[in-house]
């Protein structure tokens, strides 16, 4: 058996009282192994996640009304895409609804900021994954004054009310804020400039945004202080180690799915009768 967590991920990563500026982005809270042990455990836990996800899907197929929503936030290179590929990638794709949110389109700009988000909430039985989210509207928007302060100030409460509604309707919400150090971000951006297979991920704006890191830290802090609720908790994820970030999100999803206490849907037919029919067919 692989090396296990020494403490529960949902407890050690919970954002309560967390100061973004003080975070050690290279730490691995709750896990005292290294990369090799982390990858070993991830392989094991991915199978647990996969079975839980299939139960959620089966539940949805048989009238169940539950779903899970994973919200990923983080600066460029924080590893959001890696979570999608390596964590979400380990479950059955038909049970996953992935949505990424970029600069709003002209159509999206014609509506309130939650319009495009609401449309992508996961259906019953699905794991929804947001690569960026409604939080961009109090992060990049706040840092760059894209709307007046009076407007973005109201958005924290609007987001809380929106998430409460989704939670009440049966969605378990898990919000993960991923942080890498400025040095690690520099390394990762350098790779994007040095490796042809990574050019496509690079945007010149990523370098511009580095200068705004203190403002982003403040904006992230406000998000954690004002939108960390019991029905939609934030987890703060040190992400310099990709293996750790992936292991931790796997564990958070296992925790979220476990709260649903789902079992395999019972047969809605007489098993003996159907076996008899099958034998005779
Ligand atoms: P990427 O995730 O690398 O594809 O980049 C998407 C870009 O869209 C990021 O620079 C985000 O900050 C930006 N973005 C996402 N949502 C918004 C928004 N509501 N307003 C302005 N920019 C946004
Ligand atoms: Mg990018």
């Amino acid at each position: 058996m692989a090396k296990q967590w020494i403490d529960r991920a949902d407890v050690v990563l919970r954002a309560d009282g967390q100061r973004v500026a003080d975070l050690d982005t290279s730490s691995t809270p709750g896990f005292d192994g290294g990369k090799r042990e982390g990858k070993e455990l991830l392989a094991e836990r991915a199978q647990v996640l996969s079975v839980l996800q299939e139960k959620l899907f089966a539940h949805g197929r048989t009238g169940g009304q539950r779903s899970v929503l994973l919200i990923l936030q983080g600066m460029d290179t924080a590893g959001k895409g890696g979570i999608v590929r390596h964590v979400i990638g380990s479950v059955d794709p038909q049970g996953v609804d992935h949505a990424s949110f970029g600069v709003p389109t002209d159509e999206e700009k014609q509506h309130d900021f939650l319009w495009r988000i609401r449309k992508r909430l996961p259906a019953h039985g699905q794991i929804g994954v947001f690569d960026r989210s409604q939080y961009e509207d109090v992060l990049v928007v706040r840092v760059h004054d894209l709307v007046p302060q009076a407007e973005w100030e109201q958005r924290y409460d609007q987001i809380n009310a929106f998430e409460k509604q989704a939670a009440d309707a049966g969605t378990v919400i898990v919000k993960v804020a991923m942080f890498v150090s400025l040095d690690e971000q520099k390394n990762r951006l350098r790779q994007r400039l040095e490796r042809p297979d990574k050019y496509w991920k690079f945007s010149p704006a990523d370098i511009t945004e580095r200068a705004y890191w203190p403002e982003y830290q403040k904006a992230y802090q406000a998000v954690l202080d004002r939108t960390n609720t019991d029905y939609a908790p934030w987890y703060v994820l040190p992400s310099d180690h990709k293996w750790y970030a992936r292991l931790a999100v796997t564990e958070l999803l296992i925790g979220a799915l476990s709260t649903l206490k789902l079992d395999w849907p019972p047969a809605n037919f007489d098993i003996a009768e159907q076996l008899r029919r099958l034998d005779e067919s």
Side-chain angles (χ1 to χ4, degrees):
M1 203 167 85
K3 190 175 183 69
Q4 303 295 306
W5 285 81
I6 45 172
D7 222 336
R8 282 172 47 184
D10 59 334
V11 174
V12 293
L13 297 173
R14 179 81 200 235
D16 306 287
Q18 182 69 243
R19 308 310 302 167
V20 174
D22 298 339
L23 182 71
D24 176 358
T25 55
S26 68
S27 61
T28 61
F31 191 76
D32 65 358
K35 183 173 182 171
R36 192 175 52 81
E37 290 90 351
K39 285 189 154 184
E40 254 171 43
L41 180 57
L42 177 62
E44 224 178 80
R45 300 301 280 166
Q47 292 181 31
V48 175
L49 175 62
S50 177
V51 171
L52 286 169
Q53 180 271 331
E54 197 181 347
K55 283 182 178 169
L56 175 67
F57 187 75
H59 188 71
R61 274 297 171 89
T62 51
Q65 306 197 338
R66 307 307 305 269
S67 59
V68 170
L69 174 60
L70 173 67
I71 293 181
L72 298 171
Q73 277 296 153
M75 302 283 286
D76 272 289
T77 78
K80 303 185 292 297
I83 297 293
V84 173
R85 184 197 283 229
H86 296 278
V87 177
I88 304 304
S90 68
V91 308
D92 186 345
Q94 68 178 327
V96 174
D97 190 3
H98 173 264
S100 55
F101 297 98
V103 178
T105 63
D106 286 341
E107 191 193 16
E108 288 167 352
K109 282 182 194 148
Q110 304 299 310
H111 299 268
D112 81 282
F113 77 103
L114 290 171
W115 180 75
R116 63 177 183 165
I117 309 291
R118 193 176 286 113
K119 287 202 297 186
R120 298 308 304 270
L121 284 174
H124 301 155
Q126 296 277 312
I127 297 182
V129 182
F130 285 180
D131 178 341
R132 304 187 189 272
S133 66
Q134 59 270 29
Y135 288 97
E136 290 294 318
D137 289 279
V138 285
L139 290 166
V140 65
V141 166
R142 170 175 168 155
V143 167
H144 291 291
D145 298 315
L146 301 182
V147 306
Q149 176 161 2
E151 196 172 330
W152 59 250
E153 278 287 355
Q154 295 179 17
R155 290 182 172 173
Y156 300 96
D157 290 343
Q158 289 167 350
I159 288 173
N160 286 336
F162 170 75
E163 292 177 353
K164 177 81 166 62
Q165 223 175 30
D168 287 346
T171 303
V172 181
I173 303 173
V174 176
K175 302 186 293 198
V176 178
M178 303 179 70
F179 296 100
V180 290
S181 69
L182 266 183
D183 279 349
E184 178 62 18
Q185 191 195 43
K186 194 177 229 175
N187 292 336
R188 293 183 185 184
L189 286 174
R190 190 180 303 283
Q191 278 197 4
R192 290 183 180 185
L193 289 169
E194 288 175 350
R195 283 178 47 178
D197 61 323
K198 290 191 184 271
Y199 293 163
W200 66 277
K201 293 189 189 181
F202 182 80
S203 158
D206 300 347
I207 296 177
T208 318
E209 291 306 278
R210 284 171 60 76
Y212 292 91
W213 180 227
E215 283 82 6
Y216 272 105
Q217 281 192 328
K218 256 170 75 182
Y220 268 100
Q221 190 65 54
V223 162
L224 298 182
D225 292 343
R226 297 174 70 173
T227 63
N228 182 31
T229 58
D230 284 338
Y231 49 87
W234 272 110
Y235 298 98
V236 172
L237 187 57
S239 303
D240 283 0
H241 296 295
K242 292 177 180 174
W243 62 265
Y244 174 78
R246 293 164 188 175
L247 177 62
V249 175
T250 301
E251 218 55 59
L252 292 174
L253 283 174
I254 289 174
L257 283 156
S258 300
T259 64
L260 297 177
K261 299 195 168 35
L262 298 178
D263 221 326
W264 297 110
N268 58 0
F269 43 82
D270 184 327
I271 299 167
E273 183 196 339
Q274 297 306 318
L275 279 171
R276 204 164 42 240
R277 288 186 60 226
L278 181 63
D279 282 341
E280 290 164 2
S281 67

